[in-house]
Amino acid sequence: QVQLVESGGGLVQAGGSLRLSCAASGRIGDITVMAWYRQAPGAQRELVAAIYVSGLTKYADSLQGRFTISRDRIKSSWSLQMISLNSEDTAVYYCSATTPWGKNWGQGTQVTVSS
């Protein structure tokens, strides 16, 4: 089991930036993929960005290079740097950690972009 806690969400004006962080504890040595998802009201949860233990990263095509995922070496934390935010980025953001036994989720952090 891996426990995850997100931080860094909040209210930001359109065009602004935010940095989300995810702190992991428990069996962090089992983590193979660290990721961020988001869920807007009335929408399905979608992948925002992922980073693999190899360092390979993957992003949603719709982001157009505005978000950057990074992690520390021991996989105990990872972050999502978001710039040029717009109202379509308003959502609850969840961090996730994939292990051989399944995917673990944080409780989510709200990001609201005001226009």
Side-chain angles (χ1 to χ4, degrees):
Q1 278 281 48
V2 175
Q3 294 77 45
L4 304 173
V5 178
E6 300 100 337
S7 60
L11 176 64
V12 63
Q13 289 188 331
S17 302
L18 273 179
R19 184 178 182 88
L20 306 181
S21 295
C22 182
S25 59
R27 297 178 62 94
I28 60 174
D30 295 336
I31 298 173
T32 57
V33 185
M34 295 146 276
W36 288 94
Y37 287 75
R38 68 185 181 185
Q39 187 167 18
Q44 290 189 334
R45 192 172 297 188
E46 63 176 357
L47 176 69
V48 174
I51 184 165
Y52 297 78
V53 291
S54 64
L56 179 70
T57 57
K58 176 181 177 181
Y59 295 92
D61 291 339
S62 61
L63 296 179
Q64 299 179 325
R66 297 183 294 116
F67 292 8
T68 303
I69 190 170
S70 60
R71 63 170 171 85
D72 71 0
R73 288 188 175 185
I74 60 173
K75 299 181 291 183
S76 65
S77 67
W78 52 100
S79 299
L80 184 70
Q81 179 67 47
M82 306 183 291
I83 66 171
S84 301
L85 289 162
N86 58 63
S87 58
E88 294 183 349
D89 297 316
T90 294
V92 178
Y93 285 71
Y94 299 89
C95 67
S96 76
T98 301
T99 72
W101 297 276
K103 188 171 288 184
N104 302 267
W105 296 94
Q107 81 286 355
T109 185
Q110 177 71 46
V111 171
T112 302
V113 183
S114 63
S115 56

